[in-house]
Amino acid sequence: VEESDGLRAVVRLEGLAEAAEPARVILRLEAWAGRPLVKITHTVEFLHDDPRTAFVRRLGLRLPLALDPAASQCRLGGSAIHEVAANGQVGLRQDSHLASRVWRRAPDAAWPEILGTGAQSRGWLQLQDASGGVSVVQRDFWQEAPKELRYDAAGQALEILYWPDSAPLMDCRRYSLYPHQGQGESTPADQRWVVDKYYTQDPFKGVSRSHETWLVCHPSGAEAAAVAGVAADIQSRPLLYAGWP
């Protein structure tokens, strides 16, 4: 427990990913007394030495849910709000800052069906049954593409993918193996500078990245407009304004 004052608490969890060169993952769960919100701050610290030989295929969270499959309902906040049957697999994917899609794959289907496309999605997914529901809101969903939110009915799990496996591998290699003085790089003329100095003396190891995710619990029958309103509040940035005086 990092912070606790009776009204607010922050719990920190830390672990290592399962990989040959495992990344360190730090989760901070922040909750408030009497509020149906949990803020998740997910930080990954990459510990592989050479980005030329290590590529990230998938990064995110998988949360199991106890939903009644017969009474489950799913809504996705894409460029519009989509309501779909919560069976098979459903998802909201942001491929770039100008391309998003809502998709569903039926239990007996070989390929997913595209239910809607757009540019900047709203970045939330809601699941509920007769007993209650939960919504996940990913802050800066379209600004930090690629991102994806999925629900897998067969595995009864909500997936929050900060780097989805539907995207190309995360490639952190330098854009060129050669220095480019003509482009303003203050590098020596030695053509082996990148190989001999850049990768060995400026290691990738230790680079970190954080994401902010919100879980919103609500009773059964929550209206789509109410969920969209909470999501819009979370996506909105605070504005500090000092008057002219």
Side-chain angles (χ1 to χ4, degrees), residues 4 42-43 52 63 69 83 102 114 121 129 160 162-163 166 171 195 203 223 233 240 244:
S4 179
H42 177 285
T43 300
R52 294 170 295 179
L63 306 178
E83 186 167 326
V102 173
I114 304 301
S121 65
D129 61 9
I160 305 163
Y162 303 124
W163 192 276
S166 58
D171 188 348
V195 175
E223 297 293 333
D233 287 342
L240 182 63
W244 184 259

Side-chain angles (χ1 to χ4, degrees), residues 27 45-46 53 58 62 68 76 110 112 119 129 132-133 138 158 170 172 175 204 219 224 235 237:
L27 290 178
E45 181 183 0
F46 298 103
T53 59
R58 173 183 170 139
R62 180 181 173 88
D68 178 6
L76 303 106
D129 61 9
Q138 180 59 42
L158 172 64
M170 184 190 295
C172 296
Y175 72 98
F204 181 77
Q235 297 289 8
R237 283 288 182 262

